Amino acid sequence: FQSYISVPIRLPDGQFFGTLCAIDPRPAVVRTDQIIGMFEMFAQLIGFQIDSQLRLKASQSDLFDAQQAAKLREQFIAVLGHDLRNPLTAFQSGIRILTRSDQLEPRELKVLQQMGMSATRMSQLVENLMDFARGRLGSGIIVERASIEDLDRVIEQVLDELRTSHPHRVIRSELHISHPVNVDPLRLSQLLSNLVGNAIVHGDPEKEVLVEAQIEAGNFLLEITNFGAPIDADVISRLFEPFERGQGKSDHSGLGLGLYIASRIADAHEGDLACISEGNVTRFTLTMPAGA
C-alpha cells in the first residue's frame, strides 16, 4: 500500500470512538487541506450518526424500564389491596360473628375483643401502606369532596370508635361547626383517626385527648391536643416525613406513616397540617377552606 490516511471519529461530547481510514495500493497525494477537510467532515458526520443511534437505543431502554416500573407499581398496589386487605376483612368479619355469640365465657370474649383491636390496627397499617404506595408510586391520594352538613356527627363517630378501642383513655370533643364544609368525609375520618391515635400513643395516659373543630374566617379548623413531654423542634421538622415515629418511641408498633398520610390528606384538601409543642401541650392543627 502506497497511500494511507486516518482521521479520528469523536462523538459530540468529545469521546473517542474510532478512526476513519482510507488505503490505496497506488501512490496518491492525501496531505492536502481539501482531502483532510473532507475526511474530518465525514468523521464528524459519522460521530453524530453514531451518537444519534446510541441515544435512540438508550431512550428505548428507558421506555422499557418505565413500562416495567409501571407494571411493578400496579402489581405492588394490587398485592396491598387484594392479597392483604381482603383476607383481613374476612378475618374481621369472623371476629364480629363470634363476638355476638351468647355462649362465650368472659375470658373468651376478652380474647376476641383483643383480636378485633389487633385486626383493626392491622387494617389501618394496610390502608396507610396503600396510601403511601399511591402517593409515592401511583397517582397520589385522591379525595372526593362534597358539602357535608353533619360533619360533627362524622367526627363523633370516629371518636366513638377510638373510645371503644381505648376504653381507659379520655377523649373529649368540643365541636362548633356552624355550616356545611366541603370535604371528603372518609379521608377526614382517616386523618382524624391517625392524629388522635398518635395523641393516644405519645400523650400522657393520665391526661385527656382534646378534639376541637370550628369554622373561622372561612376556614375549617380541626385541632387535636394531648398533654405530656414536649417534642423537640428538630423532631417536629421531620414529623410529617414517612417512617418517622418521633423521639424515643421506637418501642411502639407502627410504620411511622400515620402523620405522613394525614399531611397528604390535608394537602389534597388544599389545606395545611401543623404541629406546635410547648411545655406539656402538643397540638396538631388542620386548616383548610371550608367552602368549595
Side-chain angles (χ1 to χ4, degrees), residues 29-286:
V29 179
V30 294
R31 193 179 293 275
T32 66
D33 292 341
Q34 292 83 358
I35 297 296
I36 294 175
M38 180 182 65
F39 269 79
E40 288 179 341
M41 180 184 68
F42 285 156
Q44 187 177 29
L45 290 173
I46 293 172
F48 278 115
Q49 178 63 24
I50 293 172
D51 182 68
S52 298
Q53 291 178 344
L54 291 175
R55 290 178 180 274
L56 177 61
K57 185 177 180 180
S59 65
Q60 291 173 339
S61 177
D62 291 342
L63 178 60
F64 177 77
D65 291 342
Q67 291 173 340
Q68 289 296 102
K71 183 178 180 180
L72 180 61
R73 176 175 64 241
E74 293 171 357
Q75 290 174 342
F76 178 72
I77 294 177
V79 167
L80 288 177
H82 181 271
D83 294 351
L84 291 181
R85 187 167 54 184
N86 287 4
L88 182 58
T89 300
F91 182 64
Q92 290 175 303
S93 298
I95 292 175
R96 284 194 295 268
I97 293 173
L98 291 175
T99 304
R100 297 192 190 104
S101 173
D102 55 2
Q103 300 179 358
L104 293 174
E105 298 291 336
R107 183 174 178 274
E108 295 173 336
L109 180 60
K110 183 177 181 180
V111 170
L112 280 174
Q113 290 173 340
Q114 291 175 340
M115 291 173 63
M117 291 171 59
S118 297
T120 299
R121 178 62 178 159
M122 289 170 62
S123 178
Q124 291 172 345
L125 289 174
V126 171
E127 290 299 327
N128 283 341
L129 274 174
M130 286 282 292
D131 287 329
F132 176 73
R134 293 189 188 103
R136 288 299 182 93
L137 304 177
S139 57
I141 291 180
I142 299 175
V143 297
E144 298 180 0
R145 303 175 69 172
S147 182
I148 307 300
E149 297 184 358
D150 55 348
L151 191 57
D152 52 348
R153 183 186 61 81
V154 174
I155 293 175
E156 284 293 354
Q157 181 177 348
V158 175
L159 298 183
D160 286 341
E161 293 174 357
L162 290 167
R163 292 182 182 112
T164 301
S165 301
H166 303 85
H168 302 296
R169 296 300 302 271
V170 176
I171 303 174
R172 184 165 62 89
S173 60
E174 294 184 5
L175 309 180
H176 306 284
I177 306 174
S178 55
H179 57 75
V181 179
N182 188 257
V183 67
D184 184 329
L186 294 179
R187 286 299 188 182
L188 182 69
S189 297
Q190 184 182 8
L191 176 148
L192 177 61
S193 180
N194 285 355
L195 293 180
V196 176
N198 178 79
I200 291 173
V201 170
H202 296 277
D204 185 341
E206 302 299 324
K207 301 293 182 64
E208 68 178 12
V209 174
L210 175 61
V211 177
E212 301 172 277
Q214 59 182 315
I215 304 294
E216 183 177 292
N219 289 322
F220 170 67
L221 272 63
L222 178 66
E223 295 183 326
I224 293 86
T225 304
N226 67 269
F227 303 89
I231 306 174
D232 292 342
D234 64 321
V235 176
I236 288 181
S237 65
R238 305 191 309 271
L239 272 181
F240 300 116
E241 296 177 6
F243 308 115
E244 285 291 332
R245 301 186 186 183
Q247 53 195 17
K249 296 295 182 181
S250 59
D251 58 324
H252 287 283
S253 62
L255 297 173
L257 291 175
L259 295 181
Y260 169 78
I261 298 301
S263 67
R264 297 285 75 80
I265 293 174
D267 291 342
H269 282 87
E270 302 175 7
D272 176 71
L273 183 61
C275 175
I276 297 177
S277 187
E278 298 177 347
N280 67 335
V281 178
T282 297
R283 178 177 294 109
F284 286 85
T285 301
L286 167 68

